Amino acid sequence: MAVCDVLNTRAEKVGEIELNDLLFGVEVNTGILHEVVCMQRANRRSGNACTKTRGEVSGGGAKPWRQKGTGRARSGSRTSPLWRGGGTVFGPKPRDYSYTMPKKVKRLALKMAMSARHQEGNLVIVDAFELQQVKTKDFVGIMKNFQFENCLIITGDVDEKVSLSARNVVGFKVLPVAGLNVYDILKHSKLMLVQTSLAKIEERLMA
């Protein structure tokens, strides 16, 4: 097993920890990572193109004019697609772009993404990450200790003080273990794991 330093929020070494090779020593396959990222981005898409059919356009309850004797073409409704302001024939409707992949592939991609950050030397383990209050300045100060400009921070559970303090800081994101995903790991150049999250990550990916 690989050994990684454990740091505190002042970027000082306070210990060491062994990393599970099944999570942080996996051979990286960029093809699998690409497929999972494409799936995640597709699942986040919202199909918002929408047109109204003649049945959805308001009005059209009364016949515009009588059937015969006016000299004009027969017409039964103002919502006809032939009329200005009428409905659209075969127009776009909101669609679902999402699709899924096997759980084993998604878990493998997560292991690969974390392994890639570890192999690059961009994985940091901290003993704890706590803030006394919601304050962006305190969060920025901790990140300056590590000299990070871009980082994904994974906490064991939802920590509102940390996540709210980080939400307005460009380049940083805080997620619980339940929200850990391939896209965000690859999007951020650094990966910071709170020590308490390691057991939960192992429980999630090794189950």
Side-chain angles (χ1 to χ4, degrees):
M1 290 187 176
V3 177
C4 184
D5 294 339
V6 178
L7 310 178
N8 58 22
T9 52
R10 294 187 296 275
E12 300 168 343
K13 182 178 176 179
V14 294
E16 293 182 345
I17 190 171
E18 290 187 346
L19 298 178
N20 192 334
D21 289 337
L22 296 177
L23 296 178
F24 297 94
V26 178
E27 183 179 353
V28 179
N29 184 323
T30 55
I32 292 178
L33 293 177
H34 174 75
E35 290 295 332
V36 174
V37 169
C38 287
M39 180 203 69
Q40 279 191 244
R41 298 191 67 185
N43 292 351
R44 294 181 183 185
R45 286 186 67 180
S46 59
N48 53 11
C50 182
T51 57
K52 292 184 178 181
T53 64
R54 64 182 299 164
E56 296 168 329
V57 176
S58 61
K63 188 173 174 66
W65 51 77
R66 66 179 190 269
Q67 182 82 347
K68 295 178 178 296
T70 63
R72 289 180 288 187
R74 293 173 293 183
S75 181
S77 173
R78 299 181 186 276
T79 62
S80 168
L82 304 179
W83 282 41
R84 180 185 179 191
T88 301
V89 181
F90 304 127
K93 287 289 184 182
R95 56 167 291 191
D96 182 11
Y97 292 92
S98 65
Y99 62 96
T100 187
M101 296 179 68
K103 287 183 180 179
K104 289 184 178 180
V105 176
K106 291 187 285 187
R107 287 180 181 175
L108 179 60
L110 265 178
K111 296 175 186 177
M112 288 180 178
M114 293 191 299
S115 298
R117 288 292 173 260
H118 175 54
Q119 294 165 14
E120 297 163 359
N122 291 325
L123 174 67
V124 176
I125 310 293
V126 294
D127 59 346
F129 199 119
E130 297 178 353
L131 295 176
Q132 299 300 319
Q133 58 182 333
V134 177
K135 197 168 184 67
T136 301
K137 184 178 180 180
D138 294 345
F139 176 83
V140 173
I142 293 176
M143 291 298 105
K144 283 185 177 179
N145 293 336
F146 292 92
Q147 298 181 343
F148 287 170
E149 296 180 357
N150 186 291
C151 183
L152 173 66
I153 300 130
I154 303 299
T155 59
D157 296 309
V158 177
D159 191 327
E160 289 191 357
K161 291 181 180 177
V162 177
S163 59
L164 292 176
S165 298
R167 67 177 176 177
N168 286 334
V169 185
V170 178
F172 295 90
K173 188 170 186 178
V174 179
L175 291 174
V177 172
L180 182 64
N181 64 88
V182 176
Y183 177 75
D184 283 319
I185 293 176
L186 299 181
K187 181 180 178 181
H188 298 84
S189 58
K190 303 288 185 179
L191 175 62
M192 178 182 288
L193 302 178
V194 179
Q195 191 169 356
T196 55
S197 69
L198 290 173
K200 294 187 177 183
I201 291 175
E202 186 168 351
E203 180 182 351
R204 174 183 168 183
L205 298 182
M206 302 296 292

